[in-house]
Each structure stands twice: as structure tokens, then as C-alpha cells.
Amino acid sequence: METINYQNYRIEAENICVDYNGKVALYDANLRLQPGQICGLVGMNGAGKTTFFNALTGFVNISKGKIRINGESVRSAQKDQTIAYVPQNEGIDSQFPISVWDVVMMGRYGSMNIFRCPRESDVQAVKHAIERVDLTDHLSTPIGNLSGGQRKRTFLARAIAQRASILLLDEPFSGVDIRTEKLISELFIQFKNEGKTILLSTHDMIHVREFCDLVLLINKTVVAYGETSEVFTPENITTTFGGISPDFLFGPES
Amino acid sequence: MELCSFLTLDSFITDPLTHDFMRKALLMSSLVAAVCGFLSSYLTLKGWALMGDAVSHSVMPGVVVAYALGLPFSLGAFIFGVGSVALIGFIKQKSRVKEDTVIGLVFTGFFALGIVLVSKIKSNIDLHSILFGSPLGISLSDVKQTIFISLLVVILLSVFRKDLMLYCFDPRHAKTVGINVFFLHYLLLTCLSLAAVVGLQSVGIILVVAMLITPGATAYLLTDKFDNMTLISVLSAIISSLIGIYVSFWFDLETGGSIVLAQTFIFLFAFLFAPRYGIFKLKKLFAG
């Protein structure tokens, strides 16, 4: 009998269910991720991708099952700043009067005092994070004046400044320019080497093959989960997308 | 007769100050405007204009009941303000009716209850002053309540300034890093109820929502920095109050209406001429 050592897993979701007022959004979903793994979360709109993220961050409560983050509860993961969430560009109000610097500083809020006064270490963390996403020229730019790619990088910098060991990214490649895409893929390799665990949702099948060690196909529940090379098959993809053939999804040339 | 006396700007401003009730009205309305203006930044960014309207109307029965029972009117108003929000949340969750419909039907229900109560409870409640405000006739006990509530709201908003900004901007991130989003939600609602309570003295229940959204909307057109937005919002609210009270004094107009109209004109000015977001971008005109 194999005993599970939770410490080995960054994310451990066991048979989790989420429902909104009786409407089931996700059921019996399982996921185990180790440090340094990159996992793609693939499914249709409404398949429960965002719900899965919300459950892991504690933004919604699970009605059944168990979630362990680094062997601890979601609540203590929140306290320890373990998880960073990088929202979809559509998920934020781009007209909010706030600068790049202030957004990235929000990554430090959880570890500051109640007035959220930045210490020298917070300032350094923010500076460093902004450098890593190549936005040093835009420190005080309002986010409304940024391009989609720059905005995406701002939120990535926030996750870096947070020093989280787990990154959840909602559609990281949608609506970004080539330069940002290249920068994000370089960051992924760095994150992997730092032992961070990444879970990303995407519509783009090519990105899954390119970046993801593992893939989790969901349609309200897990359709398939495992090594990308084994699980990411046309049959599984067809099942995930409710019978639509991969030819249609990839285009005839693939 | 009066018209002669403001041939000079000096007397236009100083003459009213010789009246005790005018000094009090100017001071209290400025204080109330500052509080509402401060909160206004958060409400406009959070998209809670309709919520502000709902809460401010819903306090009506609370005010009436409190007066009838001899309690501080702010207590009654606060209970009904928060109660309306709880009821809106409950009905929304337990039925298939859409949120804006629920908000509309709950606050009109409360408001109607207030009006019925006024007609039934025999007391010296002046319906007109509740509906339209009476900054010129504010009593000493009301002054004390207003100062206390205003300070409380300002302190709460100042202490949780950054957390509330984060809550408005990205509640999911707030939750992810262990910030108590539930607390912030109810903190903002509490401040909203309290601000509605003090605001209704200046401009009355019907117009208090203007105090809670117009200054924020004006400031939103003028800046891209949150701190500046709060500052501009507070300043434009105070200036509108002063203008409104002076104008109502000299031209014998309804004070609450004058204050809100002044806010509306300032908004329109920003809408037309704001440097970046105005229709005629002033900056561009100057730059040629």
C-alpha cells in the first residue's frame, strides 16, 4: 500500500466538487502537481476551468473533497502567499486608475502590516519583479495606457513580487503580442528551474504541446489527466470538447 | 434688495457668514460632502451606484421609526440601510429574479414603507426635510451625530484605504493572498449606509445618491491615479456644497437641489473639458 507524502505535492486536489446554488460546476475532480511541473488546464467555456482555479485559491468553497496546498489547507496557503493568480485580461477593469507599480505592489499586500505600508524589502521585490517582465520604463504608467501584452506582464510581475510557489494563469497567451509571448515562455522555464508549479488554462493546443509537462482535460469533471505526450490525444480532446473533432479545433493541416 | 449686495464678490461671500445658521450649514455640508466624496471614489470604481441609490432610499423607514421612538435617527437609518442590502442578497440568492430588479423592488418597498409610516406615526417629523434635506435647519444633536459618524467613516476609509482599493480592483487576488474580502465587502456597505445617513441631512434621501456617485465620476474623468481621484472627488464635493448653499441663499432656492446641481455642473465641465477623457480635450486645444 502506497502512502502519500503530501509534502511532495504542491497541489493535491482530491474528488473536489463545486456547486453554485445547487448547480454543479465541477465534480469529482482530481489533480496532483509537484514542484517544477507545468500543467495545462484544457476545456470548453463553462467546463469548470475558472471554477477549478477559484477552488484552489479559496475564492469559492468546495462542497465535497479535499484540497491540500504544500500539504496544508487552502486557508494557510492564503496566509503564506503560496498561490498567485494571474487573471485573464478580460477579467480586470483596465480603466481602473492605477499604475503598474501599484498593481505589482499589491502582490506584497498579504505580507504587509494592516496599513499596507511598503518596507524596503517590498520596494526591492516590486522593482525586481518589474525588471523581470521588462516594464521598467512603465513604472508609473496607468494600466489603461498599456497594451494587452504589457498588462499581462504587469500581472505576472505581481505574481513574481508575491514570491508565490504556485502560479495559476488564466489564458496567459490570449491577446498578447509576440514579444510578450516570448517573454512569458522564457519566464516559464525560469519558474520551472526555481521549482515553482504552474497551472495554466488555455484554448491554444499548440501552447499545451510546447510548454506543458502535464495536461488536465476537463468537462465538468476530469476527462483525462497525465503526461501531455500520452494524454493529449485527438480522442481525449474530442471527448473534452463534446464531440467536436480535433480537425476542427486545430485546422485541417494538423 | 439682496441683489444689490452682491455687486461685490466680497459681500456675496461674507454677508451670509454673519448668520449663525449659514455658518453651521456651510461647515456641516462641507464635512458631509467630504465624507461622501471620499466614499464616492470607491463606489464609482466598484460599480455600486445602484446600490448607493438603494441603501439611501431604504434608510427612510429607519429614520421615521427612530424619530418616533426618540432614538438617534442615524441608528434607525443604519439598521435599515444594512438590512436592505442583506435582503437584496437573500432574495437574489433564493430566487431567479435578476439583481437589478431585486435592488429596485427592495428599495422602493422600503421607501414606500417609510412614507406610509410618516403618515401614520403622529410626530413632528418633517417629511420635506427628510426627502429634500435641511442643512439650514440642522439641530445641535444632529450636528453632534453628523460629526461623530463622519469621523468614523473617514477613519475606517483611511485605515482600509488600500485594502478597499484592492477589493474594488481585484477581489480574487485579495482573497488569494489571505485578505478578508467578506469583511471588506461589509465594511464598504457599512460606510455606504453611514454616509447616506449623514448625506441625507444635506440634500435629502432622494438626492443623496448624487453625493455618493457624482464627485467620484467627475474625479474619474480627471485623473489616472487613485489617490488623486479621491482628492479631486472630495474637493469637488466640498466646492459643490459651498456653491450650492451660497446660491440657494442669494436666490432663495432649495438648498439640497442646488448642491446636487452644482455637482452635476462640475461633472459636465469635466465631461466636456477633461484633459484626457473630455469631449474637447483641453490639453490638445492648448497644445494646438
Side-chain angles (χ1 to χ4, degrees):
Chain A
M1 197 62 195
E2 178 200 22
T3 50
I4 300 157
N5 182 356
Y6 287 111
Q7 283 300 336
N8 285 342
Y9 291 104
R10 274 275 155 70
I11 299 175
E12 168 95 13
E14 220 174 281
N15 295 322
I16 60 167
C17 300
V18 177
D19 54 89
Y20 300 105
N21 298 324
K23 216 175 147 190
V24 176
L26 191 68
Y27 64 94
D28 292 337
N30 292 283
L31 175 67
R32 268 185 206 164
L33 290 178
Q34 290 173 326
Q37 286 184 324
I38 300 180
C39 178
L41 183 58
V42 178
M44 292 187 289
N45 287 328
K49 286 178 289 180
T50 306
T51 301
F52 209 124
F53 283 144
N54 286 345
L56 293 175
T57 58
F59 198 66
V60 297
N61 291 322
I62 51 173
S63 52
K64 255 189 358 202
K66 199 165 80 173
I67 296 176
R68 298 265 120 187
I69 306 292
N70 285 337
E72 311 235 352
S73 68
V74 171
R75 184 80 200 97
S76 55
Q78 290 174 343
K79 285 220 170 80
D80 298 341
Q81 322 291 307
T82 310
I83 300 182
Y85 181 82
V86 180
Q88 254 180 295
N89 270 352
E90 293 73 27
I92 50 145
D93 174 9
S94 64
Q95 293 302 305
F96 202 95
I98 192 171
S99 67
V100 169
W101 179 270
D102 290 334
V103 171
V104 179
M105 189 56 89
M106 283 174 169
R108 304 295 313 154
Y109 274 21
S111 49
M112 288 181 192
N113 65 22
I114 190 163
F115 298 104
R116 315 296 174 205
C117 302
R119 295 153 294 190
E120 183 54 30
S121 60
D122 297 317
V123 171
Q124 288 308 323
V126 170
K127 254 188 204 159
H128 175 71
I130 293 175
E131 272 167 29
R132 276 185 79 178
V133 299
D134 204 8
L135 279 176
T136 310
D137 296 339
H138 295 276
L139 290 183
S140 54
T141 309
I143 56 163
N145 296 357
L146 299 174
S147 70
Q150 288 171 328
R151 212 172 293 141
K152 183 66 81 182
R153 273 143 60 193
T154 305
F155 285 89
L156 265 170
R158 184 175 73 179
I160 295 170
Q162 194 187 316
R163 304 212 174 102
S165 57
I166 298 170
L167 287 99
L168 307 181
L169 302 101
D170 206 347
E171 298 287 347
F173 297 107
S174 80
V176 303
D177 48 290
I178 305 272
R179 184 173 165 220
T180 299
E181 192 174 320
K182 190 161 170 283
L183 197 136
I184 292 177
S185 53
E186 284 165 11
L187 278 174
F188 277 2
I189 294 162
Q190 293 171 23
F191 290 157
K192 205 175 152 66
N193 292 336
E194 291 165 16
K196 292 185 197 296
T197 299
I198 300 174
L199 181 63
L200 63 97
S201 73
T202 181
H203 275 100
D204 194 323
M205 305 298 158
I206 295 154
H207 286 131
V208 175
R209 291 226 165 80
E210 202 173 331
F211 298 111
C212 302
D213 313 312
L214 298 158
V215 65
L216 180 69
L217 294 160
I218 63 168
N219 188 5
K220 304 270 185 199
T221 188
V222 176
V223 174
Y225 172 59
E227 301 268 336
T228 307
S229 53
E230 291 168 22
V231 171
F232 208 53
T233 59
E235 294 75 31
N236 281 338
I237 295 166
T238 306
T239 316
T240 309
F241 286 85
I244 299 166
S245 81
D247 278 358
F248 182 73
L249 295 163
F250 289 120
E253 68 269 29
S254 62
Chain B
M1 295 288 273
E2 278 178 349
L3 284 176
C4 307
S5 41
F6 64 88
L7 282 174
T8 63
L9 186 67
D10 193 39
S11 62
F12 178 87
I13 290 175
T14 54
D15 280 8
L17 293 178
T18 58
H19 303 283
D20 185 46
F21 73 88
M22 277 299 284
R23 286 201 300 272
K24 209 159 69 181
L26 286 165
L27 270 175
M28 294 318 290
S29 291
S30 300
L31 179 63
V32 166
V35 171
C36 293
F38 195 168
L39 187 61
S40 182
S41 302
Y42 295 100
L43 297 184
T44 45
L45 289 173
K46 186 79 188 149
W48 271 11
L50 190 55
M51 201 60 119
D53 203 18
V55 168
S56 56
H57 278 78
S58 300
V59 301
M60 173 87 174
V63 173
V64 179
V65 170
Y67 264 124
L69 297 176
L71 296 167
F73 74 94
S74 53
L75 184 69
F78 177 68
I79 290 171
F80 276 81
V82 173
S84 69
V85 173
L87 191 60
I88 288 167
F90 180 75
I91 294 178
K92 195 187 96 183
Q93 209 169 34
K94 297 288 173 193
S95 79
R96 64 192 295 242
V97 183
K98 288 198 171 75
E99 186 176 23
D100 62 332
T101 311
V102 177
I103 292 176
L105 75 88
V106 167
F107 89 71
T108 48
F110 272 88
F111 191 58
L113 176 67
I115 291 175
V116 168
L117 283 177
V118 171
S119 67
K120 201 64 199 165
I121 295 172
K122 294 282 168 264
S123 69
N124 54 351
I125 302 168
D126 178 10
L127 182 62
H128 187 270
S129 75
I130 296 178
L131 293 183
F132 301 107
S134 60
L136 304 186
I138 191 167
S139 74
L140 187 65
S141 72
D142 290 351
V143 167
K144 283 183 190 158
Q145 274 186 54
T146 304
I147 292 176
F148 175 75
I149 295 172
S150 300
L151 284 178
L152 182 65
V153 175
V154 168
I155 289 170
L156 286 175
L157 289 180
S158 304
V159 169
F160 295 103
R161 199 171 58 93
K162 290 188 174 174
D163 280 21
L164 285 170
M165 174 177 79
L166 171 57
Y167 170 62
C168 294
F169 178 60
D170 192 351
R172 193 193 302 255
H173 173 71
K175 181 84 186 177
T176 306
V177 298
I179 290 169
N180 194 335
V181 176
F182 180 83
F183 166 75
L184 292 174
H185 180 82
Y186 282 94
L187 176 70
L188 201 55
L189 279 176
T190 302
C191 289
L192 169 57
S193 297
L194 292 174
V197 170
V198 292
L200 72 86
Q201 295 182 24
S202 262
V203 299
I205 280 181
I206 295 175
L207 288 178
V208 73
V209 65
M211 303 279 285
L212 295 170
I213 58 175
T214 312
T218 303
Y220 187 49
L221 291 178
L222 293 172
T223 182
D224 277 319
K225 288 201 178 94
F226 185 80
D227 288 343
N228 290 354
M229 181 171 162
T230 306
L231 197 66
I232 294 171
S233 180
V234 168
L235 285 178
S236 83
I238 292 175
I239 291 168
S240 310
S241 271
L242 298 179
I243 293 174
I245 291 176
Y246 271 104
V247 167
S248 78
F249 177 85
W250 285 112
F251 298 98
D252 193 24
L253 301 170
E254 186 76 55
T255 315
S258 305
I259 292 173
V260 172
L261 260 190
Q263 289 187 342
T264 311
F265 277 118
I266 293 178
F267 171 80
L268 285 177
F269 191 76
F271 172 69
L272 292 174
F273 303 114
R276 277 183 58 92
Y277 301 110
I279 299 231
F280 312 105
K281 297 172 182 58
L282 266 191
K283 234 184 208 167
K284 277 190 185 161
L285 288 183
F286 285 131

